[in-house]
Amino acid sequence: VGFLFDRANNVGDSFTGGNALQRRITQSFLLNFLQLVCEMKPDILVHTHFLAPELVASLRRRHGLKVPQVTVVTDMDVHAWWFQQPTDQYFVPREVAKFQLAADGVPESDITVSGIPIMPQFQDTLKALQNLSKRESRLRFLREMDASLHDAFLPDCDRPVVVQMSTGRSVRHIFKSLVKMETPVILVVVCGRQADARQQLEEIEVPERHKVALLGFTSCIHELLAIADVVISKPGGLITSEALACGLMMVVVDPYPGQEERNASMLLEEGAGIWIWDYRDAPFRLD
């Protein structure tokens, strides 16, 4: 996958993995999207994925479709697949992404460096915490959360908070490594709707020096990340932006070849994260 992704990173390449590959993928997934556009007759199309813009651009060029489209690049690096003309405006996460699009021929006036959009609740929460102590911030967090985490945070809520996002099949192996840390921590695992993963974690013995909370689906992830110290996750564009907004160190695990690896590289370049290849290294790296 990573090999094909890299080979396709050429705007002018018809195939060696380039636009022909993208066209086949796009046509396979987006027939329902085209039907929806014809039925809804939208005033504007806002894309947060690179598949649909190619179809819309083609309809505008060849069939006279008049709907304007804007593209919000939701990864830290701009692959050639994001480049589709005509597009009325691109919103990109950082200056190097603007440079990449401009190098492929997009007018700079059509590119806005906006960052990757995240929920406005992040800003509200971070503002509310500005003048609070660590203890006050975490007591506020316990009040605002949509799940009770008092057993993990009280009475000693000053220890480091490590958030482990569910990463599919590897969540159990990562958890077993994390509880081997010597530093006493509050470890919050976001299991989402994976009840089977949560059950597996409940069966693992946790040393007394750690406090653990296994969290199901939550609509208050902004509250959790705002008071955390470290987040362990795959480096998708959205979670990466949320972690950066909260000033968290990100521990990268299991990035998908291609775009997530590029997101991980950005974190390493900026000194905002580390990349763990072997889960067994996690206690050493975090201690």
Side-chain angles (χ1 to χ4, degrees):
V1 175
F3 171 79
L4 290 174
F5 187 86
D6 290 337
R7 289 294 295 271
N9 194 21
N10 187 336
V11 167
D13 197 355
S14 60
F15 188 73
T16 346
N19 288 344
L21 174 62
Q22 181 186 0
R23 196 155 45 247
R24 280 169 169 67
I25 295 173
T26 302
Q27 291 170 351
S28 299
F29 285 99
L30 294 179
L31 293 177
N32 289 338
F33 168 75
L34 287 179
Q35 182 179 353
L36 185 64
V37 170
C38 294
E39 292 175 354
M40 297 288 293
K41 297 180 173 57
D43 297 312
I44 189 170
L45 292 168
V46 180
H47 305 287
T48 58
H49 194 277
F50 55 71
L51 287 180
E54 194 267 345
L55 283 181
V56 175
S58 177
L59 290 172
R60 289 179 62 173
R61 290 193 308 267
R62 301 177 184 179
H63 302 287
L65 183 69
K66 301 298 183 182
V67 181
Q69 67 172 346
V70 301
T71 294
V72 182
V73 177
T74 52
D75 286 300
M76 296 296 173
D77 191 83
V78 179
H79 189 274
W81 285 358
W82 287 101
F83 174 90
Q84 297 298 336
Q85 294 291 76
T87 293
D88 299 276
Q89 194 72 25
Y90 291 89
F91 295 90
V92 299
R94 53 186 185 139
E95 290 290 342
V96 69
K98 179 177 181 178
F99 170 82
Q100 290 165 335
L101 279 176
D104 284 330
V106 178
E108 290 195 11
S109 59
D110 292 349
I111 310 169
T112 300
V113 180
S114 61
I116 296 175
I118 60 176
M119 295 188 302
Q121 289 92 328
F122 277 91
Q123 183 179 29
D124 297 338
T125 297
L126 292 170
K127 281 185 176 179
L129 299 180
Q130 277 182 345
N131 299 316
L132 301 183
S133 67
K134 178 184 289 188
R135 182 172 182 82
E136 289 170 336
S137 296
R138 293 182 176 176
L139 291 175
R140 177 193 173 279
F141 158 75
L142 293 175
R143 294 194 300 270
E144 297 293 330
M145 275 299 288
D146 55 1
S148 177
L149 302 180
H150 291 70
D151 289 345
F153 279 80
L154 296 177
D156 180 13
C157 67
D158 292 330
R159 62 178 67 189
V161 174
V162 177
V163 175
Q164 179 189 348
M165 306 298 289
S166 178
T167 52
R169 290 177 296 177
S170 62
V171 62
R172 181 173 179 271
H173 301 293
I174 296 172
F175 181 81
K176 289 181 71 174
S177 292
L178 291 175
V179 297
K180 294 178 181 177
M181 284 189 293
E182 293 298 327
T183 305
V185 300
I186 300 171
L187 175 57
V188 182
V189 185
V190 182
C191 301
R193 293 188 170 93
Q194 295 178 306
D196 55 338
R198 183 170 182 167
Q199 183 176 357
Q200 290 178 7
L201 299 184
E202 288 173 344
E203 296 171 356
I204 296 173
E205 185 176 352
V206 177
E208 290 185 1
R209 62 183 176 275
H210 299 311
K211 296 288 192 69
V212 169
L214 304 179
L215 189 61
F217 175 80
T218 177
S219 60
C220 295
I221 194 67
H222 53 285
E223 296 288 350
L224 175 59
L225 296 183
I227 58 90
D229 297 289
V230 178
V231 61
I232 301 165
S233 176
K234 295 171 62 64
L238 186 58
I239 184 61
T240 299
S241 291
E242 292 170 344
L244 290 172
C246 294
L248 296 182
M249 184 185 86
M250 190 162 179
V251 178
V252 173
V253 291
D254 301 335
Y256 285 126
Q259 203 63 52
E260 285 194 352
E261 288 185 340
R262 296 181 183 208
N263 293 343
S265 294
M266 180 279 299
L267 290 166
L268 301 185
E269 290 168 11
E270 301 296 337
I274 60 174
W275 188 339
I276 291 182
W277 294 85
D278 188 328
Y279 308 144
R280 295 173 298 178
D281 295 343
F284 176 82
R285 302 289 296 278
L286 289 174
D287 274 332

